[in-house]
């Protein structure tokens, strides 16, 4: 099984029907189309007109059912010129080309929703509201995501691919009131994790933890990195959790929240398989998501598959990633690889990287991202045997 990630606006720009046929001819079996996405500006080098596209993020389909009737969060619909429902258009064109369609669904990372509903933003240990995401402790947020997955399942997609299901990090801004994040002080994993803990009102109401005392503990632990230069090897998050029971309780609370959320989303998806792109917390490793509430062993019973992402040329970090995820979860494990030219200078380097991934025998391979590829990259895709 070969899949490619795609943006609905880029498919239309290059000719929806023609592009789907070309993908099928190149050996692609499925397209992962952005159905619920974050804000973005993309450069589509194969566009026939303006190559830049700006999107505030939201739904690239128009909900028609009553799934959102009990949700205080209205689904923000992204209109594309010439299309009343981009996802429906893609599904129809893909079916004609014998392509499956996965709904690529970004969950908690949404500056648009956080802007429209600031009451649901994460709040850090110093009281900072983070405007690029939503906190899953809020019932309204969980209701919205459940309704979203249910609405997508009703569209006739072959699968729903979940992204950003964990508590949002403080270090991935897409906000409107500030631009590039500048940071000299908090560059180690310990500081990034501690600054990304949420202490909003919903967390305080939901958690069986003294969050005020825990927030003070987090501020005290952060004082070293915020007031001096720390050695990243000196301590680890695991060491701190072992040393401070309050942090262990906070971690357990976050993991229970995310496990319950994914269990609910599995119920909302019904017979439509649910996949998770492993990329929360500190990165894309097996245990990197724990600090964002993502415990893969606990989530596995509620998922049909997971995707290991190989967005790095550091083989020491990526080697065996499919195997480790498969061993940890016991479920279908796929791989995602990028054509990012900052990683692979030419086709031969990329093919070597693909061969290394294939040796791990993933159940499917996803390529990122057809909508961003040059003509040369598309040729690579045609010539690779996945």
């Amino acid at each position: 099984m070969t899949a490619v990630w795609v943006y609905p606006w880029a498919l239309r720009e290059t000719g929806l029907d023609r592009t789907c046929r070309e993908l099928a001819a190149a050996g692609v079996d499925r397209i992962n189309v952005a159905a619920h996405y974050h804000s973005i500006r993309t450069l589509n080098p194969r566009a026939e007109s303006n190559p830049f596209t700006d999107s505030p993020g939201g739904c690239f389909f128009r909900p028609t059912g009553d799934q959102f009737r009990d949700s205080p969060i209205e689904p923000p619909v992204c209109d594309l010129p010439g299309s009343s429902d981009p996802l429906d258009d893609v599904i129809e064109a893909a079916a004609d080309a014998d392509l499956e369609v996965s709904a690529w669904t970004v969950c908690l990372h949404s500056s648009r929703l956080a802007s429209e509903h600031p009451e649901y933003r994460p709040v850090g240990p110093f009281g900072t509201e983070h405007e690029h995401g939503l906190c899953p402790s809020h019932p309204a947020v969980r209701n919205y995501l459940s309704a979203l997955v249910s609405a997508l399942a009703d569209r006739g997609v072959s699968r729903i691919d979940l992204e950003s299901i964990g508590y949002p990090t403080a270090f991935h801004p897409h906000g409107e009131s500030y631009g590039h994040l500048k940071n000299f002080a908090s560059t180690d994993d310990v500081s990034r994790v501690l600054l990304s803990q949420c202490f909003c009102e919903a967390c305080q109401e939901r958690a069986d933890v003294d969050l005020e005392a825990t927030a003070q503990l987090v501020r005290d632990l952060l004082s070293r990195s915020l007031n001096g230069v720390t050695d990243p090897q000196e301590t680890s998050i695991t060491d701190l959790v072992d040393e401070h029971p309050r942090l262990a309780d906070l971690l357990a609370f976050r993991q229970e929240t995310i496990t319950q959320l994914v269990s609910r989303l599995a119920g909302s998806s019904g017979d439509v398989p649910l996949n998770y792109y492993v990329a929360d917390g500190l990165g894309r490793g097996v245990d990197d998501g724990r600090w964002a509430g993502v415990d893969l062993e606990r989530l596995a019973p509620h998922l049909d598959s997971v995707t290991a992402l190989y967005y790095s040329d550091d083989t020491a970090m990526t080697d065996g990633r499919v195997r480790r995820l498969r061993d940890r979860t016991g479920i279908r494990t796929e791989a995602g690889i990028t054509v990012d030219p900052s990683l692979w200078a030419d086709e031969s380097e990329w093919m070597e990287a693909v061969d290394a991934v294939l040796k791990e025998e993933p159940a499917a391979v996803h390529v990122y991202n057809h909508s961003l590829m040059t003509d040369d990259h598309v040729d690579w895709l045609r010539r690779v045997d996945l």
Side-chain angles (χ1 to χ4, degrees):
M1 167 71 76
T2 303
V4 294
W5 282 281
V6 297
Y7 296 129
W9 57 88
L11 287 176
R12 295 188 62 82
E13 176 69 27
T14 54
L16 180 53
D17 294 325
R18 175 171 60 86
T19 304
C20 285
R21 290 193 300 270
E22 290 175 351
L23 286 171
V28 173
D29 305 292
R30 181 175 63 218
I31 55 177
N32 309 328
V33 61
H36 186 265
Y37 208 58
H38 53 65
S39 59
I40 193 170
R41 163 172 278 193
T42 61
L43 175 65
N44 176 9
R46 291 174 290 113
E48 296 180 357
S49 56
N50 181 6
F52 287 100
T53 299
D54 295 319
S55 170
C59 295
F60 286 95
F61 67 99
R62 195 170 298 279
T64 56
D66 59 357
Q67 290 94 347
F68 294 93
R69 65 182 182 279
D70 296 325
S71 173
I73 301 176
E74 289 288 330
V77 176
C78 297
D79 293 317
L80 295 184
S83 175
S84 60
D85 195 301
L87 181 58
D88 270 1
D89 293 345
V90 171
I91 291 172
E92 182 178 354
D96 290 341
D98 201 24
L99 290 173
E100 295 183 14
V101 175
S102 292
W104 177 11
T105 309
V106 177
C107 296
L108 294 168
H109 175 41
S110 174
S111 56
R112 181 173 182 178
L113 286 174
S115 175
E116 294 176 357
H117 300 277
E119 66 272 28
Y120 303 135
R121 294 174 178 173
V123 179
F126 294 95
T128 309
E129 290 187 5
H130 298 297
E131 59 178 11
H132 56 278
L134 304 173
C135 174
S137 290
H138 288 281
V141 172
R142 299 194 299 275
N143 289 343
Y144 174 76
L145 293 177
S146 177
L148 174 67
V149 167
S150 178
L152 287 170
D154 285 348
R155 307 303 283 213
V157 296
S158 62
R159 195 170 81 171
I160 296 172
D161 290 353
L162 302 176
E163 181 180 324
S164 70
I165 60 174
Y167 282 81
T169 173
F171 295 89
H172 192 172
H174 279 228
E176 295 181 348
S177 64
Y178 57 86
H180 296 298
L181 176 66
K182 302 294 184 179
N183 166 34
F184 280 0
S186 181
T187 58
D188 59 289
D189 289 349
V190 170
S191 298
R192 287 196 292 267
V193 166
L194 293 178
L195 281 167
S196 297
Q197 300 306 299
C198 183
F199 299 93
C200 71
E201 290 184 4
C203 284
Q204 295 182 42
E205 292 175 0
R206 182 177 174 82
D208 187 18
V209 180
D210 185 345
L211 284 195
E212 288 189 11
T214 306
Q216 183 60 57
L217 170 63
V218 168
R219 292 192 293 270
D220 292 342
L221 293 172
L222 280 165
S223 63
R224 292 190 61 200
S225 63
L226 296 182
N227 290 286
V229 179
T230 58
D231 179 1
Q233 305 301 319
E234 185 176 346
T235 189
S236 68
I237 287 293
T238 301
D239 294 336
L240 288 181
V241 169
D242 290 341
E243 181 180 352
H244 299 283
R246 289 191 188 279
L247 289 183
D249 291 342
L250 179 63
L251 178 62
F253 156 66
R254 288 162 72 90
Q255 292 179 350
E256 177 63 20
T257 300
I258 300 304
T259 301
Q260 290 182 7
L261 170 62
V262 174
S263 174
R264 181 171 178 183
L265 298 186
S268 299
S269 69
D271 294 330
V272 178
L274 208 59
N275 176 67
Y276 166 52
Y277 300 147
V278 179
D280 272 292
L282 292 172
R284 304 178 180 99
V286 176
D287 293 315
D288 286 346
R290 288 188 298 165
W291 321 116
V294 176
D295 184 327
L296 290 172
E297 288 178 292
R298 297 179 65 183
L299 296 186
H302 311 296
L303 296 168
D304 297 282
S305 59
V306 290
T307 301
L309 301 178
Y310 287 77
Y311 296 174
S312 172
D313 58 357
D314 184 354
T315 56
M317 179 172 61
T318 59
D319 277 0
R321 184 166 284 177
V322 162
R323 174 182 48 78
R324 291 194 296 272
L325 273 176
R326 188 163 50 220
D327 290 346
R328 181 64 62 85
T329 63
I331 61 177
R332 176 185 173 94
T333 305
E334 304 176 355
I337 189 167
T338 178
V339 297
D340 185 345
S342 69
L343 300 177
W344 326 118
D346 54 36
E347 182 178 2
S348 63
E349 287 188 5
W350 186 68
M351 291 295 186
E352 288 179 9
V354 170
D355 287 342
V357 172
L358 290 176
K359 289 177 181 177
E360 298 185 39
E361 300 182 343
V365 177
H366 309 242
V367 182
Y368 188 93
N369 176 313
H370 180 264
S371 296
L372 306 176
M373 291 180 182
T374 65
D375 288 336
D376 284 349
H377 290 136
V378 175
D379 287 338
W380 296 4
L381 183 63
R382 292 191 184 104
R383 288 191 288 265
V384 71
D385 184 10
L386 297 175

